[in-house]
Amino acid sequence: MRVLGVDPGLRNLGWGIIDVNGSRLSHVANGVCHSSGTDMGKRLMSLHQQLTDVIVQYQPTTAAVEQTFVNKDGAGTLKLGQARGIAVLVPAQAGLDVGEYYPNAVKKAVVGVGHADKRQVEHMVKLQLPGVKIAGADAADALAIAICHAHHAQSAGHLANAVKKAIA
């Protein structure tokens, strides 16, 4: 399984790709899409094109995106929601199933605690993907999202196998 993790952002949209073989995780690539353009439409289009290029180049088989939480700045939350729409739409257009995870669930899956800070997340990503060169904090978060999705997919697979055995 090849997992694309996406950390949505309007200025910087982080992405990370890992391969999953049983319980073994390996780094494929990571980076940050930077929006460009003078208006919202052009900025969203630039993110759409860059993320599409990532999918075409690396051919993931599934994707995961971080859920957005509402904060005090309503306008900022709406803008982030639009970037998140791109982060969900592009993999869906490529025919990928898209998992969605709250930030605390990602941190708990990667670090072991739901309120870890960004340094702790990046440190644990580096431990789980030895030798990885991370393109920035947004890319580290995206790799963490991919790792979280891999763990959840493995758990779902184990549960499905147990149910099949119980029925048989």
Side-chain angles (χ1 to χ4, degrees):
M1 174 171 64
R2 180 166 280 189
V3 182
L4 166 66
V6 183
D7 181 35
L10 185 57
R11 292 183 204 277
N12 301 311
L13 184 144
W15 60 270
I17 299 178
I18 62 172
D19 280 338
V20 182
N21 186 2
S23 62
R24 186 170 183 269
L25 305 177
S26 57
H27 174 259
V28 174
N30 71 87
V32 179
C33 301
H34 302 284
S35 66
S36 61
T38 55
D39 62 31
M40 182 62 76
K42 289 181 178 149
R43 291 174 71 187
L44 292 171
M45 182 61 96
S46 73
L47 292 174
H48 183 281
Q49 186 58 57
Q50 291 172 69
L51 191 55
T52 298
D53 291 346
V54 168
I55 289 174
V56 167
Q57 181 174 356
Y58 294 104
Q59 298 293 304
T61 57
T62 188
V65 176
E66 189 172 76
Q67 284 274 21
T68 303
F69 59 91
V70 177
N71 58 30
K72 296 175 190 169
D73 177 15
T77 301
L78 286 172
K79 289 177 183 177
L80 178 58
Q82 291 172 323
R84 189 174 174 287
I86 296 299
V88 173
L89 172 66
V90 171
Q93 283 181 318
L96 304 178
D97 289 331
V98 181
E100 301 178 67
Y101 301 95
Y102 285 103
N104 285 352
V106 173
K107 292 172 183 177
K108 187 163 179 81
V110 175
V111 179
V113 293
H115 295 287
D117 65 32
K118 284 193 173 283
R119 288 187 326 254
Q120 290 172 304
V121 171
E122 185 170 336
H123 175 75
M124 291 305 292
V125 166
K126 287 179 178 177
L127 283 177
Q128 293 183 49
L129 302 171
V132 66
K133 301 258 189 260
I134 299 176
D138 298 304
D141 288 348
L143 286 167
I145 294 160
I147 291 168
C148 175
H149 188 63
H151 291 319
H152 282 267
Q154 287 173 339
S155 295
H158 293 309
L159 178 62
N161 288 336
V163 169
K164 284 180 187 175
K165 287 180 183 177
I167 293 172

